[in-house]
Amino acid sequence: MIESVAVELQNQSGPDVIIVDDLEVNQVILIQMIESMGYQAAGVGSGEEALALVKEHLPKLFLLDITMPGMSGFELCEILKNEVLTRDIPVIFISATSNLDDKVMGFTLGGADFISKPFALAEVTARVSTHLRSYEMKKENEFYNKKLRLVLNEQMKKLEDEKKNVLYAIAKITEKSANFAESRLSHIKVNARLLAQSLQFSPKFEDQVSNAFIEAIELAAPLHDVGKVMVPHKILTKEGKLEKTEEELLKMHTKVGAEILEEIYEQSGNEFITMAIKIARYHHERWDGNGYPEGLKAEEIPLEARIVNILSSYDTLTGERSYKKAYSPEESIEIMEKDAGTKYDPDIFGIFKRIRKQLVTGS
């Protein structure tokens, strides 16, 4: 907001240089010299007038007389250097003496230079032009640096979006390979946000579920089964009980999915992928510790994985598969309720039940 105000003030027509001197004759001489250089200048007789003028227009340079009635040039400089809008604008002090103490004080307060009285055109031209060019170059560099950062940020966002799209494409291929409905990923995404938002209102979870957590789990949840891309199609679609070796191969999808996402994270460092890694690795862990791949128990299991564990089961139950019919939402809840406290976090499951009618289903 401050930067936008500064740009607006500088874009308004007004003086490039503000001269502050209680003697009008000095103002007139300096204005003529500065305007002969091709710049606009304005003169005021006090620090108070200078501050009032600055509210209307930001100059590129201040020329301040040191000794004035009321506010001195040093006092005015200190005020200017403490204000965000004016602290970077160079200040040149005007002095009738070459007192060393005055110069030390001026530089200490942030002054850029001194001009001696009586004024010599060559000295005024040299010092003023040097600091004006320096200030203009600095502002130009800031403008192009800001523009460059915007371009780079846009490019980085484009790359991140492309990587995200690749991950979602892999996830979709995986779901299709398992004969899951195409809507499954969008269901998981929507429901993850809804359930996380509901947890945010629970005293037990409110400190764990921030707005950033909600945004991240919405993006990360659809990637929970991305590791199934490495599981043979015949295992994913097999009707009936899997053989021991097939079951072990299927379970590997948690580790494989996490490894795929870890490689992406090393390249991009996107925070939502950090959450996706945890979800992919741990969404088959159980509350009672009998899950896989690591046998984590209760709150050892990351919260995001506990959330997706419930939602994935619900979507599977309510959706029709090659090997099963679709259960109604009520039937699905009844089936899942038997596993609350063993397979599922009972507190999350309780909240999940309360918002069930808001959730989208796999059918």
Side-chain angles (χ1 to χ4, degrees), residues 195 198-199 202 204-205 306-307 310 333 336-337 339-341 344-359:
L195 183 50
S198 299
L199 294 181
S202 165
K204 182 175 177 62
F205 299 105
R306 283 180 270 152
I307 292 171
I310 292 172
I333 293 291
M336 293 175 68
E337 196 155 21
D339 290 321
Y344 311 119
D345 180 328
D347 294 305
I348 297 178
F349 188 79
I351 295 171
F352 162 76
K353 281 201 308 179
R354 289 201 294 272
I355 67 164
R356 196 271 305 160
K357 291 185 179 180
Q358 301 175 44
L359 303 175

Side-chain angles (χ1 to χ4, degrees), residues 27 31 38-39 42-43 47 71 105 116 161 174-175 181 186 204 241 258 261 321 342 349:
Q27 296 178 31
I31 288 172
Y39 292 99
M71 186 186 300
M105 175 62 76
S116 300
D161 288 343
T174 301
E175 299 299 304
S186 63
K204 182 175 177 62
K241 187 175 177 60
L261 293 166
R321 307 291 183 255
T342 54
F349 188 79

Side-chain angles (χ1 to χ4, degrees), residues 16 40 51 56 105 135 156 200 281 363:
D16 300 300
Q40 296 297 312
L51 293 174
E56 300 175 6
M105 175 62 76
Y135 181 75
M156 290 298 293
Q200 198 175 34
R281 190 184 299 278
S363 57

